[in-house]
Amino acid sequence: MAKAKGAIVVDTVKCKGCSLCVEACPTKVIELAADVNGKGFHYAYMANPEACIGCSSCGLVCPDSCITVYRAKVQESV
Amino acid sequence: MAEVLNDIIKPENQIYGKSEVLTDNVLHYCPGCSHGVVHKLIAEVIEEMGIQEQTIGVAPVGCSVLAYNYLEIDWQEAAHGRAPALATAIKRLRPDRFVFSYQGDGDLAAIGTAETIHACNRGENIVMVFINNGIYGMTGGQMAPTTLEGMKAATCPYGRDVSRDGHPIKITELLAQLPGTGYVTRQAVHTPAAVRKTKKALRKAFENQKLNKGTQLIEVVSTCSSGWKLTPVQANKWMEENMFAFYPLGDLKDE
């Protein structure tokens, strides 16, 4: 069965680790990394990529426009 | 899983990304600042309407003083509070252009009250974006006219006392009474749903400007996590619990 799957790409250089996307995500995909970027912020990343549905809620609330959202229909392997 | 991700992350599958109207500069705002979201929404509306070459913004004084670094359109920088006066001049000289002012509460509701009220009263054909976070964010979180009763700020560390400091001002309600204003609304950008609504409101305001419908005022109730001394997520919660009680969201006027 084809199922809509999503994925996000975070611009880790621009991300300021405000964690608004972590709150906005309905399927708890995003977490803040233990690692930091050049400015010392814990950037957001997909900790649980299987759960992403590509709803773009994270992108909408991101103040720094550093999230790009992709969505595609993927064939489920049962 | 990595292979599946590689299948999904392709240009043709992209459904959301950075607007072309936004520049590549990193925003100087604090993490989680609402300014970034509103900048992005204005950029998206300009991009969708295809009016990048015809839009002139007027930057205020405040945190968003450097707004001209982030949107790839024509800008003017106004003196503190004078953005509506400058926008009036631009719109009268170039009526074919889309003109908007972008102001904070210290700019629009304090030092620029006279300019704001008179521009709205004359019904100047401009869009005014009003960011209300109830505090002077740029100078270090001092009390603003919009600071809530009992709200702590750098200059009222025990909370705003109305017997000494007066009541907070609902400038949007005041302006909605003026015959010159067309569309007056209050929105927020704390959740994905609210962000979508705010974008719709901005789109409507720019469309109304094309139809010469008078001054369009979009208030965005915002957070200032640094000024409020909260994390961005806590600031959004605090705003929902306290700001929305005094500044209820919704359309105030639509003519």
Side-chain angles (χ1 to χ4, degrees):
Chain A
M1 198 190 105
K3 197 178 164 196
K5 290 277 292 172
I8 61 165
V9 175
V10 181
D11 185 341
T12 51
V13 177
K14 279 189 174 178
C15 179
K16 293 175 185 161
C18 66
S19 78
L20 290 181
C21 54
V22 179
E23 278 296 302
C25 180
T27 53
K28 305 272 171 270
V29 172
I30 312 168
E31 276 177 27
L32 295 189
D35 224 3
V36 291
N37 63 14
K39 286 194 172 160
F41 292 121
H42 294 279
Y43 53 84
Y45 80 110
M46 274 216 286
N48 185 15
E50 293 87 3
C52 184
I53 51 171
C55 66
S56 72
S57 291
C58 50
L60 280 169
V61 296
C62 178
D64 296 279
S65 303
C66 51
I67 301 180
T68 312
V69 186
Y70 299 87
R71 185 167 58 194
K73 286 226 150 85
V74 175
Q75 213 57 239
E76 282 257 291
S77 50
V78 183
Chain B
M1 192 63 212
E3 286 162 26
V4 180
L5 280 185
N6 286 337
D7 278 344
I8 300 170
I9 300 171
K10 283 179 189 159
E12 65 265 28
N13 290 339
Q14 185 182 328
I15 54 163
Y16 193 86
K18 190 173 141 296
S19 166
E20 293 285 313
V21 179
L22 283 174
T23 61
D24 285 329
N25 296 329
V26 179
L27 279 82
H28 71 282
Y29 303 115
C30 307
C33 180
S34 308
H35 273 307
V37 186
V38 183
H39 281 19
K40 176 175 73 174
L41 294 180
I42 294 174
E44 286 174 7
V45 167
I46 290 172
E47 189 182 1
E48 282 169 21
M49 289 177 71
I51 53 170
Q52 188 174 5
E53 297 293 318
Q54 291 105 50
T55 308
I56 303 172
V58 183
V61 171
C63 282
S64 48
V65 67
L66 299 172
Y68 49 74
N69 281 336
Y70 307 124
L71 265 72
E72 200 81 71
I73 54 171
D74 290 332
W75 284 94
Q76 280 269 326
E77 174 63 53
H80 201 354
R82 274 63 186 164
L86 188 53
T88 300
I90 297 169
K91 186 69 186 178
R92 288 191 175 194
L93 288 167
R94 302 298 298 267
D96 57 322
R97 293 292 197 263
F98 290 87
V99 181
F100 74 92
S101 74
Y102 185 100
Q103 302 173 269
D105 50 334
D107 196 79
L108 185 142
I111 192 166
T113 314
E115 277 78 4
T116 305
I117 289 182
H118 286 292
C120 288
N121 195 39
R122 292 192 305 267
E124 296 299 340
N125 213 359
I126 55 174
V127 175
M128 287 161 68
V129 183
F130 169 34
I131 308 295
N132 179 8
N133 56 15
I135 211 165
Y136 284 104
M138 178 211 197
T139 48
Q142 289 84 358
M143 178 171 54
T146 47
T147 302
L148 301 176
E149 189 181 339
M151 181 175 166
K152 287 178 183 152
T155 44
C156 53
Y158 303 109
R160 182 177 188 148
D161 175 3
V162 290
S163 62
R164 185 190 56 206
D165 310 319
H167 292 273
I169 187 168
K170 289 186 179 183
I171 192 110
T172 309
E173 270 85 347
L174 274 172
L175 297 174
Q177 294 172 21
L178 299 173
T181 49
Y183 179 49
V184 180
T185 184
R186 184 184 281 123
Q187 302 292 341
V189 289
H190 61 303
T191 60
V195 172
R196 285 197 175 93
K197 271 191 187 162
T198 307
K199 187 176 170 184
K200 248 188 184 165
L202 281 165
R203 175 80 192 236
K204 183 170 178 174
F206 277 92
E207 298 277 3
N208 280 358
Q209 185 175 150
K210 210 178 341 185
L211 304 169
N212 296 336
K213 283 198 169 177
T215 311
Q216 315 293 316
L217 180 73
I218 314 287
E219 173 178 349
V220 183
V221 184
S222 303
T223 59
C224 178
S225 44
S226 299
W228 295 356
K229 315 264 187 289
L230 298 168
T231 66
V233 175
Q234 287 170 339
N236 273 346
K237 281 216 178 75
W238 193 91
M239 175 173 74
E240 275 180 58
E241 285 160 13
N242 300 282
M243 296 282 278
F244 291 172
F246 191 75
Y247 299 113
L249 304 186
D251 291 356
L252 291 150
K253 189 180 180 184
D254 187 4
E255 283 175 4

